[in-house]
Amino acid sequence: MKWDGMRRDGMTWSVEITRTLQRAAVVCVIILPILYLVIVYYRPEELRREVPTIQKSRPLPHNSSLSPQSHLPPPGPCTCPGGSVLLKDHIPKDQYEKVAKRRAKELQQHKARTTSVLSRLLIALPNSPLQYPIQGFTVRPLTTTPIPGLALHAEQRSSYKVSLNVSKGVLTMENLAEGVKVQGGGGTRLIMESSSLVILNDALAKVIYTSTIYHIHTGDLASFQFENHEAVFPITIKQPQLPVLHDMGTDINSHVTIATKTFLRYPQLKVLLSSIRSFYSNIEVIIADDSFEPEHITGEHIRQYFMPPAQGWFAGRNLAVSQVTTKYFLWVDDDFLFTENTKIEKLVEVMEAIPELDVLGGTVQGNQFYFSLLYEEGEETEGGCLYRKSQGKFQSLPGYPKCFLASGVVNFFLARTDAIQRVGFDPKLQRVAHSEFFMDGLGSLLVATCDHVSIDHQPKTGNNKDNGRYASFRNPGNNDVEFKLQLHFFKNHLKCIKYG
């Protein structure tokens, strides 16, 4: 009996010990993570830098040289909106194959000029211990620039080893620091190793990139590696541009030049000039003239430039705009009429308030014509799809509720001279041309329209002896339309176009 009692007491004591140990284990499970977080986030800065904490990240495959890159699939065939013109149907069948080959070759040259490694999609993987610049690191060609922001944030190890790789430059260090081993300095690959994370990060802050190629605008991709982690970041190689600034002067005459093109319509041109002088007596007017029998227009602040006869609408625009020396020019047709509502100053006010704008249209006799251009690139063989949507617009301009963004506007517009000169007017288009300028400028020109500045249109009269002759040029024949469609097929790499 005594032995049985002792045995029961021993069993009771054993059970109590077991319960106590279980309670202690639960307490440890709760307390230890809390202590860990306290130590990590409230210890001194240098200690935190020495042993940073991160979550375990998913390693990259070992055979991946630039794994964080990804290539977007090439665009698939675009869908032509209902009612579109299929442009290949307007290429003579016996010429189509040769034209298509020439177009494909020209497209590849266009891509070579307009794309670089900076266009490549880069994807940042989660929980990386690597710190690096993701945007804004720009170097001049053939110059030396420190790489900002390089660092490693890793858990404590006996040794830390990182590497950097580039292709269009070389990597060096400003000063070799003690406590870090460097391999490959002066080449496209740089390896750094240290037993101290602090020393390694100090060394990373001294890494220098030197561009070894001359290009006015290209890029390099730098690969930054630690163990199985890799990051790729872009380096923009760009020649800085000299600013081209315009002294606006003190009045509208030094801000704006009025430009127009005339052909066989001298009576209308004279009415236009008279109306301009009623409101702007000293503003410069430039006239491009391709009439058959030129008539000299005289007067102060008027410059008339003669062309060979019947060169066309866009050739005349190019000539007139090429002679503008002011920051802005106002385009008008030669049969327009200035009124008290033709306030050029109001257009300048908007352009100056929103300097990103390149073109700002007004209204012509109450007609605020504008359109949007909806473009899909399509795939390389067939080409893209374009929809010109009349009265299509985007959002309004900040601070100007009567103005909103569009893709193209009416023939009455204020424009930034240097921006228009860069795009230009295709002189191949002689009579069927207006939207085509804005098509060429899509993605380059920021266009808007306002309804608070207007100009009138002169009433039609039969007084001009050249009316019949003018009409024969003004109304395009089928050949002109066919030529324009063939031009869109090749020049703009389009499969189809819709005018809506």
Side-chain angles (χ1 to χ4, degrees):
M1 296 291 293
K2 188 174 182 180
W3 168 250
D4 288 339
M6 290 177 64
R7 187 172 60 182
R8 284 194 300 270
D9 291 341
M11 292 174 64
T12 302
W13 179 80
S14 176
V15 170
E16 289 297 325
I17 290 296
T18 301
R19 289 174 177 171
T20 302
L21 290 174
Q22 289 174 342
R23 294 190 190 100
V26 171
V27 171
C28 288
V29 169
I30 295 172
I31 291 177
L32 285 177
I34 296 174
L35 289 174
Y36 179 79
L37 292 173
V38 170
I39 291 171
V40 169
Y41 289 99
Y42 294 97
R43 61 187 170 178
E45 181 63 27
E46 280 301 306
L47 180 59
R48 197 186 316 171
R49 188 179 177 195
E50 179 69 26
V51 192
T53 61
I54 60 165
Q55 296 180 358
K56 292 288 186 181
S57 59
R58 187 169 50 199
L60 300 175
H62 285 282
N63 61 355
S64 173
S65 60
L66 291 176
S67 298
Q69 295 184 64
S70 179
H71 295 274
L72 288 172
C78 59
T79 302
C80 297
S84 295
V85 178
L86 295 178
L87 298 179
K88 74 175 185 178
D89 294 345
H90 295 266
I91 307 296
K93 291 182 179 181
D94 60 336
Q95 300 177 24
Y96 177 79
E97 186 176 345
K98 292 181 180 179
V99 170
K101 286 182 179 180
R102 294 199 305 270
R103 185 178 79 153
K105 178 184 176 182
E106 195 68 17
L107 177 66
Q108 296 309 313
Q109 292 186 346
H110 167 77
K111 288 187 173 182
R113 288 178 53 83
T114 57
T115 61
S116 73
V117 295
L118 299 179
S119 305
R120 196 171 299 172
L121 176 68
L122 302 177
I123 296 176
L125 295 176
N127 305 323
S128 173
L130 299 168
Q131 176 183 301
Y132 51 92
I134 62 171
Q135 179 177 295
F137 180 40
T138 301
V139 303
R140 288 181 293 158
L142 306 178
T143 60
T144 295
T145 309
I147 301 178
L150 291 179
L152 175 67
H153 301 273
E155 294 175 341
Q156 190 166 9
R157 289 163 169 75
S158 60
S159 180
Y160 304 88
K161 184 177 181 180
V162 298
S163 67
L164 281 158
N165 291 274
V166 294
S167 61
K168 295 181 181 178
V170 295
L171 299 165
T172 54
M173 286 191 61
E174 186 177 337
N175 292 304
L176 288 177
E178 292 185 7
V180 63
K181 182 180 178 182
V182 179
Q183 301 176 43
T188 59
R189 181 174 175 84
L190 182 66
I191 301 173
M192 307 169 68
E193 186 174 5
S194 177
S195 60
S196 168
L197 185 57
V198 174
I199 293 175
L200 180 67
N201 281 333
D202 286 340
L204 283 170
K206 298 175 183 177
V207 174
I208 292 173
Y209 176 86
T210 302
S211 163
T212 55
I213 66 166
Y214 182 82
H215 197 290
I216 61 171
H217 193 186
T218 186
D220 200 349
L221 293 179
S223 170
F224 186 22
Q225 295 177 313
F226 168 69
E227 296 180 351
N228 290 334
H229 306 283
E230 183 177 25
V232 177
F233 60 90
I235 302 172
T236 302
I237 304 170
K238 186 176 182 181
Q239 173 62 51
Q241 293 177 285
L242 286 170
V244 179
L245 309 179
H246 294 269
D247 185 356
M248 291 285 286
T250 58
D251 59 21
I252 194 65
N253 302 318
S254 57
H255 300 169
V256 178
T257 300
I258 297 175
T260 192
K261 152 81 172 57
T262 196
F263 175 68
L264 301 177
R265 294 206 296 191
Y266 289 117
Q268 290 90 336
L269 176 64
K270 292 174 183 177
V271 172
L272 167 68
L273 294 173
S274 176
S275 71
I276 292 173
R277 290 297 175 236
S278 297
F279 300 96
Y280 298 98
S281 57
N282 294 317
I283 200 167
E284 193 84 3
V285 180
I286 292 178
I287 304 165
D289 188 345
D290 62 346
S291 300
F292 285 101
E293 290 125 21
E295 178 181 331
H296 287 270
I297 303 298
T298 59
E300 292 187 7
H301 306 294
I302 291 176
R303 286 185 281 154
Q304 184 181 18
Y305 294 91
F306 295 107
M307 307 165 61
Q311 291 301 296
W313 178 236
F314 271 12
R317 272 191 172 184
N318 274 333
L319 174 57
V321 174
S322 73
Q323 300 305 305
V324 175
T325 58
T326 52
K327 183 176 182 177
Y328 302 111
F329 70 89
L330 182 76
W331 185 265
V332 296
D333 284 354
D334 59 357
D335 61 347
F336 283 174
L337 188 70
F338 274 57
T339 72
E340 62 275 3
N341 295 318
T342 313
K343 301 291 186 184
I344 305 175
E345 295 86 349
K346 291 184 178 181
L347 296 176
V348 172
E349 176 193 337
V350 178
M351 293 283 280
E352 286 290 294
I354 306 176
E356 298 95 332
L357 282 177
D358 297 302
V359 179
L360 184 62
T363 70
V364 177
Q365 213 159 22
N367 174 26
Q368 190 182 5
F369 173 74
Y370 52 86
F371 56 87
S372 60
L373 293 171
L374 308 178
Y375 170 58
E376 290 183 64
E377 282 185 271
E379 54 87 41
E380 287 192 1
T381 303
E382 289 187 329
C385 303
L386 184 67
Y387 177 23
R388 193 203 73 174
K389 185 178 180 181
S390 294
Q391 305 307 109
K393 62 182 179 180
F394 310 109
Q395 70 264 26
S396 61
L397 293 181
Y400 295 92
K402 293 186 176 183
C403 307
F404 45 83
L405 295 170
S407 300
V409 294
V410 73
N411 274 343
F412 170 57
F413 58 82
L414 186 75
R416 191 176 299 274
T417 304
D418 54 3
I420 303 307
Q421 288 172 342
R422 283 193 295 269
V423 174
F425 302 89
D426 191 340
K428 295 189 191 75
L429 296 167
Q430 295 184 315
R431 289 185 283 176
V432 187
H434 179 68
S435 302
E436 290 68 27
F437 162 69
F438 293 102
M439 292 175 186
D440 287 347
L442 184 64
S444 299
L445 300 176
L446 189 62
V447 181
T449 178
C450 297
D451 68 359
H452 66 296
V453 179
S454 65
I455 198 168
D456 272 1
H457 207 285
Q458 297 175 33
K460 296 185 184 299
T461 66
N463 298 334
N464 187 357
K465 62 182 177 64
D466 289 316
N467 277 348
R469 196 178 189 186
Y470 174 82
S472 67
F473 284 89
R474 176 67 179 85
N475 300 317
N478 186 60
N479 289 341
D480 295 290
V481 175
E482 285 294 307
F483 174 79
K484 183 179 76 167
L485 296 175
Q486 293 170 11
L487 187 67
H488 283 317
F489 174 81
F490 193 107
K491 172 185 169 183
N492 302 123
H493 195 253
L494 290 178
K495 174 173 72 172
C496 58
I497 187 169
K498 178 181 179 179
Y499 296 92

